[in-house]
Amino acid sequence: MAIALASNTESDLPQRQAMKAVANGDVQAFRIVVEALDPRLIRFFSQLGVPESDREDLFQETCLRLYRAVESYDPQRPFLPWALTIARRVMLNWHRACKPTVALEEADNIPARQRSPGAGAESDLWEFAHACLSASDYELLWLRYGEDLEPAEIAMITHRTSVHVRVLLHRARAALALFLKKDGCAHTLI
Amino acid sequence: MKHDNLTEKALEVALKRAAPPLSRADKERVARVCDGLAGKPIERAPGFHHALTVAVLRVAACLVLAGSVFVLFKTLRPVPVSATPHLASIPHLRDIETWESAKIVTGILSNESSNLVSDIATLTTILNERSLAILF
């Protein structure tokens, strides 16, 4: 069973203790952190558009950074937002570094990603949101509802204020609802 | 409005429900990552020495800034200009009213001018004499 890792301070206690142990010299304790983060970060990278071939590299890079920065982590603070902050930076660096791999003349042949989330196909909702919303809006929605983080934690990860995050989330939800309404799929969600 | 709230709530629930579930941790991947980390150094947290260096640097920066501001103000300070140069020989115009009468003024000026004329005449005479003495 995958190790659950939530943002509240009770459920990420093993990770925080492990980080403390690593800081005190018990390097083997970092395996607990890696095991807990593996499904979470792979899903995070997958949802934010990182291809499967690069996910492991990003995961490894994130773990390396977490390991190196173990002494700067404060065990009193929640672990997941801190880890996601680093993972997000790694991913943004990767996005900046990677170049388009599809020639322009072939780009027209690529099928559009946008698909309507029909009845009984709720998993397509995130795909639909990814196609409709901007990357920033989609990321905020994912952190809020996919990762189940609080706006204050998202604010810490994305370097915004909590109020700003709430406003952006509201706008993103409104935009998504509008797209769903235009697409005639809003009734499937009620 | 009520319908909008309901839609937003339904959307939130749908988004949470549509999130793909967490899979199991990939043991091989975890092992690869842990093996890759073996022997990697941990960055030491900045200690007292670092904090002291930062504090000293900040104090130095403040001193440099304060010095720069002081020099700037010193060089840009406008030189105080006195209102009116006080020349004792020139009477103030407002003093004209205090003069007793225009007649006295006229008398003084005419005396002065006659004195000047006589001085100039004397000077011219002396100059003529001296210059002629050189020639002859």
Side-chain angles (χ1 to χ4, degrees):
Chain A
M1 178 140 182
I3 299 170
L5 189 63
S7 61
N8 62 61
T9 51
E10 288 303 318
S11 54
D12 67 357
L13 191 62
Q15 289 80 44
R16 290 191 284 130
Q17 286 175 339
M19 289 296 282
K20 200 173 176 181
V22 175
N24 289 332
D26 183 9
V27 180
Q28 295 302 318
F30 196 69
R31 179 177 284 271
I32 297 169
V33 177
V34 178
E35 280 184 5
L37 282 177
D38 177 74
R40 179 73 70 164
L41 290 189
I42 292 296
R43 186 179 71 165
F44 176 74
F45 292 137
S46 163
Q47 286 296 316
L48 296 180
V50 178
E52 196 172 357
S53 55
D54 291 321
R55 283 174 209 159
E56 183 168 333
D57 289 343
L58 295 192
F59 176 63
Q60 194 151 6
E61 177 66 23
T62 305
C63 288
L64 179 62
R65 289 195 187 191
L66 288 170
Y67 178 75
R68 280 184 173 163
V70 71
E71 285 204 352
S72 64
Y73 173 66
D74 177 9
Q76 303 300 321
R77 303 182 70 180
F79 176 70
L80 183 60
W82 184 69
L84 282 177
T85 305
I86 294 176
R88 182 174 176 268
R89 281 187 201 152
V90 169
M91 189 186 64
L92 291 177
N93 287 343
W94 173 84
H95 271 301
R96 282 192 205 106
C98 71
K99 293 169 183 168
T101 52
V102 180
L104 284 175
E105 56 268 18
E106 296 170 22
D108 291 337
N109 300 328
I110 297 173
R113 249 197 112 184
Q114 182 174 350
R115 273 196 300 164
S116 301
E122 260 190 343
S123 59
D124 288 343
L125 181 60
W126 283 106
E127 204 173 334
F128 182 77
H130 198 183
C132 295
L133 301 178
S134 68
S136 168
D137 285 352
Y138 177 80
E139 182 190 38
L140 287 176
L141 279 184
W142 174 255
L143 289 172
R144 179 72 185 95
Y145 302 111
E147 301 293 346
D148 205 16
L149 297 177
E150 292 299 318
E153 293 172 327
I154 299 172
M156 194 185 84
I157 293 171
T158 57
H159 301 289
R160 292 183 175 104
T161 63
S162 184
V163 175
H164 192 192
V165 168
R166 284 174 195 276
V167 171
L168 291 176
L169 277 171
H170 175 75
R171 288 180 188 164
R173 279 195 305 265
L176 182 60
L178 191 67
F179 279 114
L180 285 167
K181 197 176 174 184
K182 277 183 185 173
D183 209 58
C185 301
H187 66 279
T188 60
L189 304 177
I190 300 172
Chain B
M1 192 69 186
K2 221 171 189 179
H3 181 69
D4 286 347
N5 287 337
L6 182 67
T7 307
E8 190 167 319
K9 190 73 186 168
L11 184 61
E12 286 182 349
V13 171
L15 283 169
K16 280 186 181 177
R17 210 164 42 195
L22 285 174
S23 57
R24 289 166 180 269
D26 186 335
K27 298 284 180 191
E28 289 181 8
R29 185 164 50 220
V30 169
R32 277 197 298 273
V33 170
C34 289
D35 290 346
L37 292 176
K40 300 276 185 191
I42 293 174
E43 286 174 4
R44 294 288 145 202
F48 174 73
H49 180 70
H50 177 75
L52 188 68
T53 309
V54 169
V56 168
L57 278 175
R58 281 183 184 163
V59 169
C62 286
L63 284 175
V64 168
L65 191 67
S68 307
V69 170
F70 177 74
V71 169
L72 197 67
F73 272 99
K74 194 80 177 170
T75 50
L76 290 182
R77 181 183 288 174
V79 179
V81 181
S82 57
T84 311
H86 179 71
L87 299 175
S89 58
I90 301 175
H92 290 265
L93 289 177
R94 62 173 178 270
D95 294 339
I96 291 174
E97 293 175 1
T98 61
W99 292 349
E100 288 181 0
S101 64
K103 194 177 178 182
I104 297 171
V105 175
T106 312
I108 292 169
L109 287 175
S110 60
N111 285 339
E112 285 294 322
S113 68
S114 61
N115 284 341
L116 280 172
V117 167
S118 67
D119 286 347
I120 290 169
T122 310
L123 186 63
T124 310
T125 310
I126 290 168
L127 278 173
N128 286 338
E129 284 176 356
R130 294 288 169 91
S131 56
L132 290 172
I134 291 169
L135 284 174
F136 301 103

